[in-house]
């Protein structure tokens, strides 16, 4: 494979770069999805607790006592924000997946074109 053209070598490098970007996006998406699950689980626990239950919320490095409504509102905002980020990452993932498949097809066609003159 030492006789790969510079164009194909460049496409291979681009393919690797797209693959790395895709992996990064998938990791971020997984982290955000886990945070959404945790926030929703916390909301379920809050819903099951009495109205006068003592609630604490992390504010930076300090735990603060907050009213149930405040904690639930903050969790709802967090879930909404994370879900927006997930949707954005899904769009990026779809775009990169298309680019990846396109580059893969171009490389395959270029390699098959060199090895077999009757390539489709």
């Amino acid at each position: 494979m030492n006789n790969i053209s510079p164009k194909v070598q460049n496409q291979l490098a681009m393919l690797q770069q797209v693959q790395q970007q895709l992996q990064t996006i998938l990791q971020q998406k997984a982290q955000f999805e886990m945070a959404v699950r945790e926030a929703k689980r916390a909301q379920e626990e809050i819903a099951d607790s009495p109205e006068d239950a003592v609630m604490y919320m992390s504010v930076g490095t300090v735990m603060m006592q907050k009213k149930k409504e405040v904690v639930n509102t903050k969790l709802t905002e967090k879930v909404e924000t994370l879900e927006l980020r997930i949707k954005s990452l899904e769009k990026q993932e779809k775009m990169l997946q298309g680019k990846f498949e396109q580059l893969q097809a171009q490389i395959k066609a270029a390699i098959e074109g060199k090895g077999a003159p009757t390539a489709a």
Side-chain angles (χ1 to χ4, degrees), residues 42-43 46-47 67-77:
Q43 284 182 309
I46 289 172
K67 292 184 179 180
K68 179 178 176 176
E69 315 86 61
V70 173
V71 174
N72 199 33
T73 300
K74 293 288 185 185
L75 284 170
T76 300
E77 290 172 2

Side-chain angles (χ1 to χ4, degrees), residues 52-59 62-68 70-71:
D52 61 346
V54 177
M55 303 266 167
Y56 292 92
M57 197 168 111
S58 178
V59 181
V62 178
M63 294 293 286
M64 303 277 300
Q65 185 173 347
K66 298 282 184 182
K67 292 184 179 180
K68 179 178 176 176
V70 173
V71 174

Side-chain angles (χ1 to χ4, degrees), residues 31-117:
Q31 289 173 341
F32 289 149
E33 287 171 340
M34 186 173 59
V36 166
R37 284 191 302 273
E38 288 174 357
K40 285 183 177 181
R41 193 180 68 204
Q43 284 182 309
E44 290 170 6
E45 290 296 322
I46 289 172
D48 292 341
S49 65
E51 288 299 317
D52 61 346
V54 177
M55 303 266 167
Y56 292 92
M57 197 168 111
S58 178
V59 181
T61 59
V62 178
M63 294 293 286
M64 303 277 300
Q65 185 173 347
K66 298 282 184 182
K67 292 184 179 180
K68 179 178 176 176
E69 315 86 61
V70 173
V71 174
N72 199 33
T73 300
K74 293 288 185 185
L75 284 170
T76 300
E77 290 172 2
K78 181 178 182 175
V79 167
E80 289 171 358
T81 301
L82 289 169
E83 286 176 342
L84 282 173
R85 288 182 181 172
I86 290 169
K87 285 180 184 177
S88 174
L89 288 172
E90 285 172 345
K91 287 179 185 176
Q92 290 178 38
E93 176 187 358
K94 188 175 180 179
M95 185 266 305
L96 284 172
Q97 188 66 38
K99 191 174 182 179
F100 181 85
E101 290 170 2
Q102 180 185 12
L103 280 168
Q104 203 173 28
Q106 289 173 354
I107 292 168
K108 184 177 179 183
I111 290 174
E112 287 177 351
K114 281 188 171 190

Side-chain angles (χ1 to χ4, degrees), residues 21-35:
Q21 290 172 340
L22 197 52
Q23 286 174 341
T24 301
I25 285 174
L26 290 173
Q27 288 172 345
Q28 289 175 349
K29 183 178 153 190
Q31 289 173 341
F32 289 149
E33 287 171 340
M34 186 173 59

